[in-house]
Amino acid sequence: MANVTHATAATFEQEVLGADGPVIVDFWAEWCGPCRQVSPVLDQLAEEHPNVKVVKVNVDEEMSLAMEYQVTGIPAIKLFRDGEIRKEVVGAKPKGALEKDFEGLLD
């Protein structure tokens, strides 16, 4: 889990918007079952793609970020590159489906 961090409103700009390379942001909550299902999948992606950073944002603790990034359902997984959202996925998906969704964006 070397490439997995947690972000707050205070650290989001540094952790995500100013990061080099692709950043997968997982908007999640502790009570969310699908969030718990997708978390190990994102950990695997981070391990298999050393240039990809995974940042987790707890929507219960960081409601301002959830509103700013229009999170209406969780897990909301957004891939950022160069400070911009390049791909958005809502809901838990298996690893292969996420890799297909993010094809060409994880390099």
Side-chain angles (χ1 to χ4, degrees), residues 15-100:
E15 294 289 347
V16 178
L17 303 179
D20 292 330
V23 181
I24 296 172
V25 180
D26 177 19
F27 290 90
W28 68 286
E30 295 221 9
W31 49 264
C32 169
C35 297
R36 288 192 301 271
Q37 287 178 318
V38 79
S39 185
V41 172
L42 296 176
D43 294 345
Q44 286 178 345
L45 286 175
E47 287 177 19
E48 293 173 10
H49 300 273
N51 59 320
V52 175
K53 181 177 184 180
V54 174
V55 175
K56 299 185 182 228
V57 175
N58 185 322
V59 296
D60 288 335
E61 296 172 2
E62 302 298 332
M63 288 184 200
S64 63
L65 282 174
M67 288 190 327
E68 181 177 348
Y69 288 97
Q70 302 174 354
V71 174
T72 57
I74 56 174
I77 303 162
K78 301 179 186 268
L79 188 138
F80 286 76
R81 189 169 207 137
D82 300 322
E84 296 181 12
I85 297 171
R86 301 298 171 102
K87 183 75 177 182
E88 300 179 60
V89 176
V90 177
K93 290 187 173 187
K95 183 176 167 232
L98 280 175
E99 285 177 322
K100 186 171 182 162

